[in-house]
């Protein structure tokens, strides 16, 4: 077993580290319309991405959408996660598998599902029209709302499963003890359950935030041409503009911002709770 | 005056009966134990008093007030959990202060009362520690302090000694009993350990299969068991089936047992405590064959076959000069006891 650790570690390093290092190197190269790039060491690509208001806006949109989705997902997931964690019947394992079920289908396919749900002729509009609640189809698709709605739907299982496993590790007697000492359910929730499940909330929120920051298919399919987020922008530079150095720089900005915000967010929330 | 009354309390889960027709009464300063094997309904009863389980029928009154439908946080009970259930993210002092905080007690008074309660259980020097930094015994004392700081109407103890090692158990037993008596805590304790129940309680309620088999003082249950189940569960007892013939109890294979005259003709079980029997190589008494000898240190336990019945005998371990010291498995022995120390039971 121990003998396998080193070769396995080297393989992982090779598979994960080398492409990253290559990208990092590319991000300092110079763009060349003819040969894609020229060997160089310039910060020009980074400077362009940071200074250009177009890319500033894309980054801000990405952060806003990711934060909104993370908060919404956490709020939406806690109840079902608690319910699942405290369930004692034989349905528990079946429901856990059911929660994982959407993960078997890729994000692209699920985004397409939301497309069918939200389009002018989709399920929501057809139902509302059929019931006579509206006379003209609502514009649901190609709005920031559509992207947030679909993204939350896609990342929800990750959050529920992460939270449920942490809540499961909190002894129920601790909640009972709070009630016995006179705490109403809401007090038990905020004073006992939330602080004790905080590691799960932070782990789940970090995971979801990272997934949202890097969302590709959902903003592309449901956001429409006017709605821009970072991952599609990176792809555009590589595939369409053939500007590899600039695409690589954008990718590294996305990576750094994600890392910084995730670390910062986790420590701020953890500290606030320690103080309170 | 504090009191707890249960009146015809029943709890059913679908078809399954957890507790049936449970009635009892605890008065100020009394410690009553619910004793019984696992699954007998004792924990369900405790949880109904605390408010975690709602009875299917019947009523629960605390200090005369009907609390049957009240939520746990609306009752003034203090439950010490078997697992202690301290809040792991709070210090010992914060744990003890939590209940007071819920009762809107001001910070200064809260701290003073918490400190007082911790002092009572000799934990005041560990007030700023977190539960995980305490030993099992200390955690339990913190859990006790968290309950008694509230001056609860009813103090509830769920298997208080089960998570402690044998050496600590005796110490904690007398500590809990001491606290309970000095503070006159009206207490309901749940235990499956008959020794714990016998030594700590003013009164015992022996439960089996959701119902009360017998209740009374430790002496009542030990000396006058109502049936074979009680005789066997409280202390140890040899329970031998058979019937009365010509005024004598005869086991199923016809061996006659010492019987006081005028015994109930309906008797179906003969019970005698292992420590009431004297064992000898050759003397008077019932004849039997030694099947097993267990050396327990100060005591020795013998298992003797009398016909088809297996009878346990517990005596002080014989000295080297004693005839019994050389007994071997398979040897013939004699068992003798006073007919008056045996009890005949109808069921």
């Amino acid at each position: 077993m121990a003998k396998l650790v080193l070769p396995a570690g080297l393989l992982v390093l090779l598979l994960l580290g080398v492409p990253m290092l290559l990208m990092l190197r590319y991000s300092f190269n110079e763009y060349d319309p003819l040969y894609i790039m020229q060997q160089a060491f310039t910060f020009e690509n980074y400077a362009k991405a940071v200074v250009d208001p177009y890319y500033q806006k894309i980054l801000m949109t990405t952060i806003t959408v990711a934060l909104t989705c993370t908060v919404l997902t956490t709020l939406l997931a806690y109840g079902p996660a608690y319910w699942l964690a405290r369930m004692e019947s034989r349905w528990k394992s079946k429901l856990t598998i059911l929660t994982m079920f959407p993960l078997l289908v890729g994000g692209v396919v699920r985004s397409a599902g939301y497309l069918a749900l939200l389009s002018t002729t989709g399920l929501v509009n057809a139902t509302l029209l059929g019931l006579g609640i509206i006379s003209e189809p609502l514009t649901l698709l190609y709005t920031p709302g559509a992207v947030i709605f679909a993204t939350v739907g896609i990342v929800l299982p990750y959050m529920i499963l992460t939270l449920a496993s942490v809540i499961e590790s909190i002894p129920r007697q601790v909640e009972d003890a709070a009630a016995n000492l006179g705490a109403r359910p809401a007090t038990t929730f905020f004073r006992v359950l939330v602080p004790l499940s905080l590691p799960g909330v932070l782990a789940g929120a970090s995971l979801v935030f990272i997934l949202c920051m890097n969302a590709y298919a959902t903003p592309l399919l449901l956001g429409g041409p006017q709605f821009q987020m970072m991952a599609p922008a990176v792809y555009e530079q590589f595939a369409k503009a053939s500007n590899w150095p600039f695409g690589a720089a954008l990718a590294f900005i996305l990576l750094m911002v994600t890392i910084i915000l995730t670390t910062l967010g986790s420590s701020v929330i953890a500290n606030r709770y320690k103080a309170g | 005056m504090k009191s707890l009354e249960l009146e015809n309390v029943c709890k059913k889960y679908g078809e399954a009966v957890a507790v049936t027709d449970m009635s009892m009464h605890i008065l100020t300063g009394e410690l009553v134990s619910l004793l019984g094997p696992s699954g007998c309904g004792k924990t369900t009863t405790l949880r109904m008093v605390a408010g975690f389980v709602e009875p299917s029928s019947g009523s629960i009154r605390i200090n005369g007030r009907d609390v049957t439908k009240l939520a746990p946080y609306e009752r003034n009970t203090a439950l010490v959990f078997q697992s202690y259930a301290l809040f792991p993210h709070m210090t010992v002092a914060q744990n003890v202060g939590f209940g007071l905080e819920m009762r809107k007690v001001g910070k200064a008074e809260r701290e003073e009362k918490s400190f007082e309660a911790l002092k009572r259980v000799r934990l005041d020097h560990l007030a700023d520690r977190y539960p995980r930094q305490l030993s099992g015994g200390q955690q339990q004392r913190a859990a006790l302090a968290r309950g008694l700081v509230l001056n609860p109407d009813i103090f509830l103890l769920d298997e208080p000694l089960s998570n402690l090692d044998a050496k600590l158990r005796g110490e904690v037993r007398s500590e809990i009993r001491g606290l309970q008596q000095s503070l006159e805590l009206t207490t309901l304790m749940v235990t499956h350990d008959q020794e714990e129940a016998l030594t700590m309680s003013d009164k015992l309620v022996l439960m089996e299969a959701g119902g009360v088999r017998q209740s009374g003082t430790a002496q009542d249950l030990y000396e006058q068991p109502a049936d074979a189940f009680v005789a066997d569960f409280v202390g140890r007892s040899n329970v031998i089936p058979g019937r009365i013939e010509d005024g004598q109890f005869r086991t199923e294979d016809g061996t006659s047992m010492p019987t006081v005259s005028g015994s109930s003709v309906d008797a179906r079980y003969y019970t005698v405590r292992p420590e009431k029997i004297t064992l000898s190589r050759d003397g008077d008494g019932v004849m039997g064959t030694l099947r097993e000898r267990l050396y327990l240190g100060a005591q020795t336990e013998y298992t003797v076959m009398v016909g088809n019945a297996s009878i346990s005998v517990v005596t002080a371990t014989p000295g080297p000069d004693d005839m019994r010291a050389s007994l071997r498995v398979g040897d013939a022995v004699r068992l003798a006891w006073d007919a008056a120390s045996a009890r005949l039971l109808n069921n």
Side-chain angles (χ1 to χ4, degrees):
Chain A
M1 195 56 205
K3 276 183 185 170
L4 283 174
V5 171
L6 191 67
L10 284 175
L11 190 68
V12 169
L13 200 68
L14 199 74
L15 290 173
L16 288 176
V18 171
M20 289 277 275
L21 286 174
L22 267 178
M23 282 275 279
L24 185 64
R25 181 67 194 90
Y26 288 175
S27 71
F28 295 112
N29 278 345
E30 235 166 54
Y31 172 60
D32 183 316
L34 214 57
Y35 301 102
I36 296 181
M37 55 189 174
Q38 294 280 352
Q39 290 289 338
F41 195 84
T42 170
F43 286 95
E44 208 177 290
N45 299 308
Y46 287 97
K48 185 181 157 197
V50 171
V51 174
D52 190 337
Y54 179 73
Y55 289 104
Q56 284 178 354
K57 192 176 166 237
I58 293 179
L59 184 61
M60 284 319 292
T61 308
T62 308
I63 294 171
T64 312
V65 167
L67 277 178
T68 312
C69 288
T70 306
V71 171
L72 285 177
T73 307
T74 309
L75 294 178
L76 282 174
Y78 206 100
Y82 180 82
W83 184 63
L84 195 62
R86 289 291 187 242
M87 186 177 274
E88 274 168 358
S89 78
R90 64 206 161 89
W91 292 102
K92 182 172 182 161
S93 58
K94 293 187 177 81
L95 276 166
T96 308
I97 291 168
L98 205 66
T99 313
M100 279 188 241
F101 209 69
L103 304 179
L104 296 177
V105 182
V108 183
V109 179
R110 277 188 288 156
S111 295
Y114 284 105
L115 199 65
L117 191 69
L118 299 174
S119 74
T120 38
T121 55
L123 185 68
V124 174
N125 272 318
T127 309
L128 291 175
L129 280 169
L131 290 171
I133 295 169
I134 51 170
S135 53
E136 274 184 23
L138 299 168
T139 316
L140 300 171
L141 213 52
Y142 308 132
T143 60
V147 176
I148 290 169
F149 177 73
T151 309
V152 168
I154 286 168
V155 296
L156 206 52
Y158 295 102
M159 194 67 172
I160 292 177
L161 294 171
T162 311
L163 280 177
S165 77
V166 173
I167 294 170
E168 230 176 333
S169 71
I170 303 171
R172 188 192 290 256
Q173 288 92 313
V174 173
E175 284 176 68
D176 285 350
N180 179 252
L181 293 169
R184 290 173 174 277
T187 313
T188 302
F189 177 75
F190 287 112
R191 292 290 308 277
V192 176
L193 217 45
V194 170
L196 289 180
S197 59
L198 201 61
V201 173
L202 289 179
S206 301
L207 179 67
V208 162
F209 182 72
I210 291 165
L211 287 170
C212 293
M213 282 294 280
N214 294 288
Y216 175 76
T218 318
L220 206 65
L221 290 173
L222 300 166
Q226 302 304 316
F227 188 83
Q228 296 276 1
M229 275 175 73
M230 283 298 272
V234 172
Y235 173 76
E236 208 177 65
Q237 289 305 316
F238 273 92
K240 290 182 186 157
S242 289
N243 190 344
W244 287 23
F246 187 60
L250 279 183
F252 266 90
I253 289 171
L254 178 60
L255 177 71
M256 291 319 293
V257 169
T258 308
I259 290 173
I260 290 167
L261 288 180
T262 309
T263 331
L264 211 68
S266 300
S267 59
V268 164
I269 295 171
N271 280 336
R272 174 161 299 179
Y273 245 97
K274 218 178 266 172
Chain B
M1 284 299 279
K2 289 173 174 174
S3 69
L4 170 68
E5 277 170 277
L6 272 68
E7 203 178 302
N8 308 112
V9 171
C10 294
K11 180 64 196 176
K12 285 179 194 151
Y13 293 101
E15 288 294 295
V17 176
V19 174
T20 171
D21 206 24
M22 174 82 184
S23 294
M24 64 174 185
H25 197 164
I26 307 182
L27 295 170
T28 308
E30 262 186 338
L31 192 157
V32 175
S33 285
L34 292 176
L35 174 68
S38 60
C40 71
K42 57 190 193 296
T43 302
T44 306
T45 305
L46 184 89
R47 291 181 65 80
M48 285 195 283
V49 174
F52 294 118
V53 175
E54 194 185 316
S56 309
S57 63
S59 67
I60 300 171
R61 283 189 296 277
I62 293 176
N63 301 348
R65 185 171 75 123
D66 191 322
V67 299
T68 316
K69 302 275 178 195
L70 293 187
Y73 51 85
E74 294 168 317
R75 310 178 182 200
N76 191 21
T77 68
L79 173 52
V80 178
F81 288 80
Q82 186 175 7
S83 61
Y84 316 138
L86 295 167
F87 305 124
H89 59 302
M90 298 183 195
T91 63
V92 170
Q94 285 168 338
N95 264 283
V96 176
F98 187 85
L100 294 171
E101 203 184 327
M102 293 303 115
R103 283 158 179 74
K104 309 256 187 302
V105 175
K107 194 165 183 237
E109 192 187 343
R110 209 160 73 211
E111 278 169 2
E112 191 189 315
K113 280 191 168 173
S114 302
F115 182 74
E116 229 169 80
L118 282 171
K119 214 168 175 178
R120 264 200 187 280
V121 297
R122 297 175 287 112
L123 269 188
D124 44 318
H125 61 298
L126 299 176
D128 295 324
R129 298 274 182 95
Y130 283 90
R132 62 174 179 277
Q133 297 168 308
L134 305 185
S135 71
Q138 290 168 335
Q139 285 185 25
Q140 180 173 49
R141 300 216 298 271
L144 284 170
R146 185 171 72 170
L148 57 87
V149 73
L150 298 174
N151 186 24
D153 293 332
I154 307 296
F155 207 59
L156 303 169
L157 300 170
D158 189 7
E159 304 270 4
L161 306 180
S162 64
N163 281 342
L164 301 170
D165 56 56
K167 215 171 169 183
L168 206 56
R169 216 169 273 180
E171 199 180 301
V172 173
R173 191 162 66 194
S174 37
E175 180 161 2
I176 292 179
R177 180 62 162 156
L179 271 175
Q180 183 267 329
Q181 284 178 325
S182 66
L183 297 171
E184 293 198 322
L185 294 166
T186 310
T187 307
L188 181 64
M189 178 172 93
V190 156
T191 179
H192 68 277
D193 184 313
Q194 47 100 5
E195 192 188 324
E196 203 171 303
L198 289 177
T199 51
M200 289 174 74
S201 327
D202 295 302
K203 235 162 66 185
L204 290 92
V205 176
L206 183 60
M207 291 181 76
E208 196 237 357
V212 176
R213 290 300 282 256
Q214 190 175 356
S215 59
T217 64
Q219 249 167 356
D220 290 343
L221 267 66
Y222 193 81
E223 306 287 349
Q224 282 149 10
D227 55 36
F229 176 82
V230 179
D232 194 39
F233 199 88
V234 181
R236 287 185 54 203
S237 206
N238 294 295
V239 179
I240 305 149
R243 64 195 178 281
I244 293 277
E245 268 173 26
D246 310 326
Q248 279 282 309
F249 189 92
R250 288 183 188 280
T251 64
E252 279 164 346
D253 55 47
T255 313
S256 140
M257 296 291 188
T259 315
V260 287
S261 54
S263 293
S264 158
V265 290
D266 297 324
R268 286 176 47 232
Y269 294 100
Y270 187 93
T271 71
V272 57
R273 301 274 178 201
E275 71 275 13
K276 305 273 187 188
I277 305 175
T278 44
L279 177 137
S280 58
R281 261 185 186 282
D282 35 31
D284 291 332
V286 184
M287 257 203 313
T289 315
L290 183 62
R291 201 182 63 180
E292 196 182 24
R293 185 168 70 167
L294 288 175
Y295 174 74
L296 305 171
Q299 291 182 322
T300 298
E301 183 184 332
Y302 303 89
T303 307
V304 177
M305 294 306 289
V306 174
N308 292 334
S310 154
I311 297 181
S312 296
V313 181
V314 176
T315 63
T317 295
D321 298 336
D322 197 305
M323 299 272 278
R324 292 172 300 180
S326 58
L327 277 173
R328 293 277 168 272
V329 169
D331 285 357
V333 290
R334 295 271 184 172
L335 303 180
W337 63 88
D338 186 357
S341 66
R343 266 184 78 80
L344 295 169
L345 300 169
N346 294 349
N347 52 54

